[in-house]
Amino acid sequence: AYYHDLAELRIKSLGATEYARKAQADIDAEADRVQAYLAPTTAGLLCGVLQDELVTAYAPDILAISDDGLTQMLDRRDIPALGVLYGLYAPLPEPLGVLRSSVMDHILALGGQITAALLAPGSGETKAPEAAPDAASLGVAAKTAMALRWVQDVLALYDVYDEFFHKSFSEGSSMRSAINDAFIEVINANSRAPELLSLFMDDNLKNGLKRKAEQDVDHLLERSVLMFRFLKNKDAFEHYYKVHLARRLLFARSESDDAEQSLVSKLKVECGSQFTLKLEGMFKDMQLSADMARALRATGEYSDLGFDLNVSVLTPTFWPTLTPAPPQAPPSSQATNAQPGTTSGESSDDPTAIILPHGVLSDSVDAFSAYYLKFHSGRRLTWQYALGNADLKVNFGTRTYELNVSTYQMIILLLFTDSNASGKALTTTEIQQRTHIPEDPLLRQLQSLACGKYRILNKTPKSRDVSPDDSFTFNMEFKSPQYRIRIP
């Protein structure tokens, strides 16, 4: 009765931190008295009664003490106080279960706030997920920014609780599983998690590894895999990751081939060789293509072209269908003029219909096809011009710039070097007729060339949208402080 009444009095007058310290002191004091004055066999029974009266009977109430309960300890990251509280609860299954559930609830609440803030950016109010804008309506930059913010915030929250686990919760297995279970629920409550995680990895592998030491790169990859480990819909992640990896490989956007291979190896450890079979096949295709390019250059058959041609031959079963595939990744900076390849058998255009405006381009395609089929007679090449990119040196009067463009954009620009079209206007319809570029990608490419940040072409009328009757001329007045320009 004494300790029962004392517990009630303390809950009303003390915070959870001080309550835990005093309760532990009482239990230790009784254990000392048993050792000094009573038979050792009474120690377990006496301490059990004390723990029941001071802890088990009031386990939820102690954690819920206003102004100084578990929530406040977690929010102010009071590692010593949490350690005392855990030491009091850990020996007792029922109180430990209450502590475990309360910690999980706190993680879920904070994780929900992170996702809600993500879905309602720039707003002080949270919105329900169904009120958020459709992910498909967001541009590449907006979706990448969303991915970086969400993954970084979730990982930052995980770091806090991982520190609690090591420094306050004595690395107890029950608390480890509670923390992991809570983060599994937080991550998978966001239906966009597979895509956002893949975008996070994509951005870091393209831009986030610059000037990083090897151990920092490995740490970044480990944290990415940590999020992947908690993800339930790994098939959806694989779909997005394959598309993003394909674009990094085809457009040479990766900062480090070693980092790419290392991440795939880590995914293989998590999910087995079947999960990464196609990813590894993509790397193999790129390596074989590079070897073939060196062998072809050694023959001297390209020496008269006047430009470098780099072709990637892709095994259809390994690669995703990249066209059309939002979001469109901008072409990367490469010292090549074209990079067609095969995809999974579907294409947004008829490969035989695209018209290359200069004979030398057609000759280079024919030369490569003849060389390849000489060694692989039973195969068929399907050229995917939608996946290529080119580096062009373009003269604008007395100024010269190097433009990194898609293959479609290259084909369009070369129309304006034709002696029959030089200085003349070409309509959207005329460009389509002379190139056979499908309508949707043609409109996008013309919009990038004439309505974007770098206006290589002049458009009449001057509007953001492109229509069949709009006309285009080469912009001889184009100026830029940059010599090398990437056209998105």
Side-chain angles (χ1 to χ4, degrees), residues 57-245:
Y58 296 98
D61 301 311
I62 297 168
L63 301 183
I65 292 175
S66 60
D67 300 326
D68 190 23
L70 176 65
T71 297
Q72 289 73 30
M73 290 185 195
L74 294 170
D75 287 343
R76 66 175 181 258
R77 303 185 186 181
D78 193 340
I79 290 175
L82 287 168
V84 173
L85 187 66
Y86 176 76
L88 188 66
Y89 277 54
L92 309 170
E94 186 178 335
L96 180 60
V98 173
L99 177 62
R100 186 180 187 278
S101 297
S102 298
V103 169
M104 287 184 65
D105 289 344
H106 195 255
I107 294 173
L108 293 175
L110 294 178
Q113 291 174 15
I114 290 172
T115 301
L118 179 79
L119 299 178
S123 167
E125 300 178 2
T126 58
K127 296 182 181 179
E130 57 268 19
D134 182 12
S137 67
L138 297 175
V140 179
K143 291 176 79 171
T144 301
M146 175 185 286
L148 292 174
R149 179 184 172 192
W150 182 71
V151 174
Q152 287 167 352
D153 286 351
V154 171
L155 285 174
L157 182 62
Y158 180 85
D159 287 343
V160 171
Y161 279 84
D162 194 53
E163 185 178 21
F164 291 156
F165 169 72
H166 290 290
K167 296 182 179 180
S168 299
F169 301 148
S170 302
E171 300 184 354
S173 59
S174 180
M175 298 308 295
R176 174 84 284 171
S177 64
I179 293 170
N180 286 353
D181 290 348
F183 276 93
I184 288 172
E185 190 168 338
V186 165
I187 290 168
N188 292 283
N190 186 349
S191 61
R192 302 178 189 175
E195 181 183 12
L196 295 180
L197 178 57
S198 181
L199 279 169
F200 173 81
M201 294 179 178
D202 182 58
D203 186 77
N204 277 286
L205 288 166
K206 289 190 298 187
N207 308 309
L209 305 181
K210 296 177 182 177
R211 295 180 294 277
K212 283 186 181 293
E214 183 178 348
Q215 60 184 20
D216 294 330
V217 171
D218 191 65
H219 177 67
L220 177 63
L221 298 181
E222 286 289 352
R223 289 172 68 75
S224 299
V225 173
L226 173 67
M227 287 281 287
F228 172 77
R229 189 176 300 139
F230 291 148
L231 196 64
K232 289 182 179 178
N233 194 350
K234 290 180 170 57
D235 289 339
F237 169 84
E238 181 193 15
H239 164 75
Y240 288 113
Y241 190 81
K242 281 172 60 180
V243 172
H244 294 145
L245 173 62

Side-chain angles (χ1 to χ4, degrees), residues 378-446:
R379 299 184 185 180
R380 180 176 65 89
L381 285 177
T382 301
W383 291 82
Q384 300 287 352
Y385 298 105
L387 303 182
N389 67 101
D391 285 344
L392 302 175
K393 282 189 177 180
V394 183
N395 296 322
F396 298 85
T398 59
R399 299 173 303 278
T400 300
Y401 299 98
E402 186 173 302
L403 306 182
N404 180 250
V405 297
S406 69
T407 303
Y408 279 166
Q409 290 170 345
M410 175 193 69
I411 293 172
I412 293 168
L413 289 175
L414 288 177
L415 290 178
F416 293 92
T417 67
D418 192 308
S419 59
N420 295 322
S422 181
K424 295 182 180 180
L426 294 173
T427 66
T428 305
T429 300
E430 289 172 333
I431 294 172
Q432 202 281 328
Q433 290 172 346
R434 294 182 61 172
T435 63
H436 286 194
I437 297 174
E439 181 179 0
D440 286 346
L442 176 64
L443 296 181
R444 288 197 301 270
Q445 305 304 332
L446 287 172

